[in-house]
Amino acid sequence: RYWMNLTPSDIMWNTSDTGWAKSAWGSVFTPWICGSCVFVHNMPQFKPEVIAETLSRYPITTFCTAPTAFRMLVQHDVSSYKFPSLKHCVTGGEALNPEVLAKWKIQTGLIIHEAYGQTETVCL
């Protein structure tokens, strides 16, 4: 609830494949516990332009994707797209480069909130 900043009026989109634990936490448990809507998109292959178009077209308020996907999105330069509903971005797993965080902020005006979760804390 606190890291994803979800409320019952939010629409959460997590691009994680259902074979990953990230999908369970980001697409099922957390949004539903918070009463949020879950956005689902059938995307057989990751394409930055499809992600950007989807964020532009649908009222997604919270977006979660892997750090590698954020790297690909800023390389695509999403500054020409408008994300009118998007207000919160999260990622987890491997660390995200400061350059990617800065480019995303410049291109979208949004901060990416990083964390590590249950997959990364097995050793703890």
Side-chain angles (χ1 to χ4, degrees), residues 12 57 90 108:
M12 171 70 184
R57 184 174 179 189
V90 295
T108 68

Side-chain angles (χ1 to χ4, degrees), residues 8 17 22 26 35 39 44 49-50 52 55 62 66 71-72 77 81 86 88 96 100 102 105 111-112 114-115:
D17 188 85
K22 185 175 179 67
F39 182 85
E49 61 275 7
V50 173
L55 289 169
T62 304
R71 286 185 193 97
M72 293 172 71
D77 189 3
Y81 297 89
L86 190 61
H88 195 71
L96 199 52
V100 174
K105 172 78 170 157
I111 295 169
I112 300 171
E114 286 187 277

Side-chain angles (χ1 to χ4, degrees), residues 41-51 72:
H41 189 298
N42 181 21
M43 203 171 40
Q45 181 179 354
F46 181 88
K47 293 183 181 177
E49 61 275 7
V50 173
I51 299 285
M72 293 172 71

